[in-house]
Amino acid sequence: MKIICIGRNYAEHAQELGNEVPESPVIFMKPDTAVLKKGSDFYIPEFSDDVHYELEVVLKISKGGKYIQEENADKYYDEIGLGIDFTARDLQSKLKEKGLPWELAKGFDGSAVLSEFYKKENFNMKNLNFSLRKNKEEVQNGNTSMMIFSPEKIIAFVSQYFTLRVGDLIFTGTPKGVGKVSENDMLQAFLEDEKVFDLRIQ
């Protein structure tokens, strides 16, 4: 199972971090060991003092493929969920300054939080609302209509480079509002109006 992540897929998020809006999808990966076990708390790693939450819509690949055409790409996933791409922002900044890959800041153990997955057919993927609350206060609010690259464009692009297999996950990018987590914070993620997970920070 691969975890493929898309960076800077919401213009306002790219701008809040001082990044250029990309002309093609920005790709990075997380190992399968990044998935936080369901029901577990998230523990801030000892190597970072600035871990940020990034709430994202996650696609679950249901059909293997390579060189998938954009017009057929919606046939390659049938379930969606929400996930948090935890990022050690201080470490990421140091790596970026040196022109090095981000994986240490993005792929550490527990850095990929996942909700349950839900049938895509029950949602309007072109107008899907999702949000994150920290300590009961809304901090992120996104809609898939604001994506620079749609799920279909992402799947078509990624499949030029990586063969997609059943069970692969694609994190589709985060909207503006990312921020730091601290010990004892509580995060709640909502898909439309339904709460899909609670997470305590330790």
Side-chain angles (χ1 to χ4, degrees):
M1 183 261 282
K2 298 188 291 296
I3 305 173
I4 300 162
C5 304
I6 310 300
R8 306 173 191 170
N9 199 23
Y10 290 79
E12 290 182 340
H13 170 61
Q15 291 160 4
E16 77 177 341
L17 294 185
N19 296 316
E20 292 182 4
V21 175
E23 295 181 3
S24 58
V26 175
I27 307 292
F28 62 93
M29 310 279 282
K30 289 178 183 272
D32 57 4
T33 49
V35 174
L36 185 68
K37 184 179 178 181
K38 285 197 180 349
S40 298
D41 295 342
F42 172 78
Y43 285 80
I44 297 170
E46 69 281 357
F47 52 76
S48 178
D49 295 317
D50 193 22
V51 173
H52 284 206
Y53 55 79
E54 298 189 10
L55 184 70
E56 315 198 7
V57 174
V58 182
L59 316 178
K60 190 173 187 179
I61 298 299
S62 58
K63 178 181 175 183
K66 175 80 170 169
Y67 295 115
I68 298 164
Q69 298 301 306
E70 184 179 335
E71 57 267 28
N72 298 322
D74 66 336
K75 299 172 184 171
Y76 286 79
Y77 75 104
D78 59 11
E79 290 184 313
I80 63 164
L82 292 183
I84 293 179
D85 162 25
F86 275 120
T87 303
R89 192 72 72 202
D90 45 0
L91 180 55
Q92 184 189 35
S93 295
K94 291 175 184 176
L95 293 166
K96 287 169 69 175
E97 285 171 6
K98 297 177 181 178
L100 297 173
W102 303 345
E103 267 67 19
L104 292 179
K106 289 279 195 179
F108 56 89
D109 290 354
S111 63
V113 179
L114 292 167
S115 72
E116 299 296 332
F117 283 87
Y118 306 90
K119 290 294 183 185
K120 174 184 70 174
E121 63 198 33
N122 295 329
F123 301 94
N124 180 356
M125 288 303 297
K126 297 184 186 302
N127 186 26
L128 179 68
N129 294 301
F130 60 104
S131 61
L132 184 72
R133 295 178 190 173
K134 185 174 81 167
N135 303 327
K136 299 185 178 180
E137 178 183 350
E138 186 172 273
V139 288
Q140 284 193 283
N141 189 316
N143 185 288
T144 52
S145 65
M146 301 165 64
M147 287 182 173
I148 300 169
F149 306 106
S150 68
E152 291 74 29
K153 285 184 183 293
I154 291 168
I155 288 171
F157 181 84
V158 166
S159 70
Q160 295 178 50
Y161 300 89
F162 309 126
T163 297
L164 291 176
R165 291 180 172 160
V166 174
D168 286 349
L169 303 177
I170 301 180
F171 279 64
T172 57
T174 195
K176 70 175 182 178
V178 301
K180 182 178 179 177
V181 291
S182 301
E183 190 175 347
N184 296 321
D185 280 347
M186 279 293 299
L187 302 180
Q188 297 176 313
F190 291 81
L191 186 59
E192 294 293 355
D193 296 323
E194 181 180 354
K195 183 170 69 173
V196 294
F197 65 76
D198 288 287
L199 182 65
R200 181 176 295 279
I201 309 300
Q202 300 281 21

